[in-house]
Amino acid sequence: MASMHRPVMLQEVLRLLDPKPGMTVVDATVGYGGHARAILERISPGGTLIGIDLDGEALSWTERITAGSTASVILRQGNFADLGSILTAAGIREANGILFDLGVSSPQLDDRERGFSYREGTPLDMRMDRGQELDAARVVNEYGERELARIIREYGEERWASRIARFIVEERERAPIITADRLVEIVKNAIPASARRRGGHPARRTFQALRMEVNGEKRNLERALPQAIGRLGKGGRIVVISYHSIEDRLVKKAFRDSARQCEIPPASPARPSRGALLRVLTPRPLLPSSSEAADNPRCRSAKLRAAERTA
Ligand SMILES: C[S@@+](CC[C@H](N)C(=O)[O-])C[C@H]1O[C@@H](n2cnc3c(N)ncnc32)[C@H](O)[C@@H]1O
């Protein structure tokens, strides 16, 4: 299964993260271990890799493929929104590198039971952590019309969000919406035929919005970034690959804020040292090469940003 997940922008990640023997590196979205394996090779011997993921199945796989490494491997099922406490509990104070490769992995997308795709008969699930209660069926059947419209507009950047939300609410009164194909039909009916012909699968944006809501993706990233920056040792690097403009904007802003000069007035009793926390290494985000995008269409929307801890 793991062979189906090709680590996105691997060469760029390795160049910017710059892992070396003995280093401590956190892979905050370790998934099926694609990036992690390459990082482990670079930090061995003697280094430590901490791999975090919400998905217990992915972690079991990664545990198997990393067994026998000469570096130490610490795998934790958890949310990167709790990065600080996960690292503290693992006895890690500072890291030389932290990687986030956001979103879902190919094995998650391809496993029909996980409910991420719009194929016929797929249950509306979309939970990365199968232990959590909120799934896509609950969002679709229980959220109010205005809330649904907001999510579809904001996370899906879907201009027909209000109509889609209205059609969902009307349809669910007939019978609960529990499969992906029924939702696809409802979304198709809500989008005028002329608009349906543009921009790929008509339900793509709605499904993306539901996934982001179910997994709290925006909120988790907002919480995680300051903790990650705070846990980098001097010279440590953070690399984030995002697949959605909301995520990329959050990363850009978090890096820019930490890269600004500290503007605390000189009279402040704390007198912190002036100077920024981060130096941005990618003034513009890096994109996958055309050959990688052709080989792996799922990486096409990837944007990579990196920064180095200076103080
Ligand atoms: C694109 S995949 C990572 C693939 C991995 N880099 C590789 O090469 O195999 C993203 C992973 O992040 C996990 N994930 C998403 N949000 C998370 C969160 N808030 N906390 C922990 N893991 C998360 C998903 O479960 C998924 O396994």
Side-chain angles (χ1 to χ4, degrees):
M1 189 194 281
S3 59
M4 288 168 2
H5 189 91
R6 282 173 273 173
V8 170
M9 302 182 77
L10 180 61
Q11 293 317 315
E12 292 86 343
V13 166
L14 292 174
R15 179 169 63 75
L16 286 157
L17 210 51
D18 199 18
K20 296 202 173 77
M23 281 187 167
T24 297
V25 175
V26 179
D27 186 340
T29 52
V30 72
Y32 283 78
H35 291 108
R37 260 217 293 213
I39 292 168
L40 268 175
E41 275 172 24
R42 307 276 176 119
I43 61 174
S44 299
T48 303
L49 175 92
I50 302 98
I52 301 168
D53 207 289
L54 282 169
D55 187 336
E57 288 166 39
L59 285 174
S60 306
W61 178 278
T62 301
E63 191 174 356
R64 281 199 299 276
I65 63 164
T66 55
S69 165
T70 55
S72 27
V73 180
I74 303 172
L75 296 175
R76 292 286 181 265
Q77 184 171 8
N79 192 325
F80 58 53
D82 303 318
L83 186 75
S85 49
I86 293 173
L87 293 186
T88 302
I92 307 290
R93 220 161 56 88
E94 283 187 347
N96 304 104
I98 303 184
L99 171 66
F100 291 85
D101 175 21
L102 300 169
V104 276
S105 61
S106 302
Q108 286 170 330
L109 282 172
D110 293 339
D111 182 349
R112 183 185 297 238
E113 261 186 53
R114 303 295 299 263
F116 285 101
S117 83
Y118 6 83
R119 272 177 306 175
E120 205 177 325
T122 302
L124 280 178
D125 188 327
M126 302 192 187
R127 291 169 302 168
M128 291 180 192
D129 172 4
R130 287 175 120 177
Q132 84 171 33
E133 280 190 13
L134 184 69
D135 63 10
R138 287 185 75 161
V139 175
V140 167
N141 291 291
E142 294 176 16
Y143 278 28
E145 184 178 330
R146 280 178 56 176
E147 188 59 0
L148 274 175
R150 183 192 66 77
I151 290 164
I152 298 170
R153 187 176 312 107
E154 186 181 331
Y155 297 159
E157 299 175 321
E158 169 64 68
R159 65 181 283 227
W160 303 103
S162 301
R163 264 175 73 87
I164 294 170
R166 178 150 49 81
F167 275 54
I168 288 175
V169 169
E170 279 168 16
E171 278 296 318
R172 75 190 187 193
E173 273 160 22
R174 275 188 250 281
I177 304 164
I178 50 169
T179 58
D181 38 318
R182 178 140 178 256
L183 182 60
V184 167
E185 271 316 298
I186 297 168
V187 173
K188 276 188 183 162
N189 290 336
I191 301 179
S194 54
R196 238 184 280 151
R197 285 191 282 273
R198 295 188 297 267
H201 193 292
R204 184 178 58 83
R205 289 180 291 276
T206 301
F207 273 63
Q208 169 171 290
L210 289 174
R211 196 201 82 201
M212 289 187 73
E213 173 63 17
V214 167
N215 297 293
E217 293 178 37
K218 180 178 175 216
R219 196 175 53 241
N220 289 336
L221 184 60
E222 271 168 341
R223 283 181 49 197
L225 288 171
Q227 296 177 57
I229 293 166
R231 288 292 181 141
L232 285 174
K234 191 164 188 282
R237 301 250 177 118
I238 176 168
V239 174
V240 185
I241 307 175
S242 59
Y243 299 85
H244 190 292
S245 54
I246 292 183
E247 293 167 345
D248 184 56
R249 278 198 297 274
L250 286 176
V251 178
K252 182 178 170 188
K253 182 172 181 317
F255 283 7
R256 199 186 50 206
D257 290 351
S258 295
R260 279 215 187 99
Q261 287 283 311
C262 206
E263 282 163 7
I264 296 174
S268 152
R271 288 248 181 178
S273 59
R274 286 179 161 263
L277 280 183
L278 283 186
R279 181 167 73 90
V280 175
L281 302 171
T282 50
R284 300 167 78 83
L286 305 187
L287 310 179
S289 66
S290 47
S291 64
E292 182 173 1
D295 259 14
N296 180 12
R298 280 180 184 160
C299 81
R300 276 185 199 152
S301 57
K303 286 188 175 162
L304 183 153
R305 292 185 186 270
E308 184 180 74
R309 178 84 191 230
T310 51

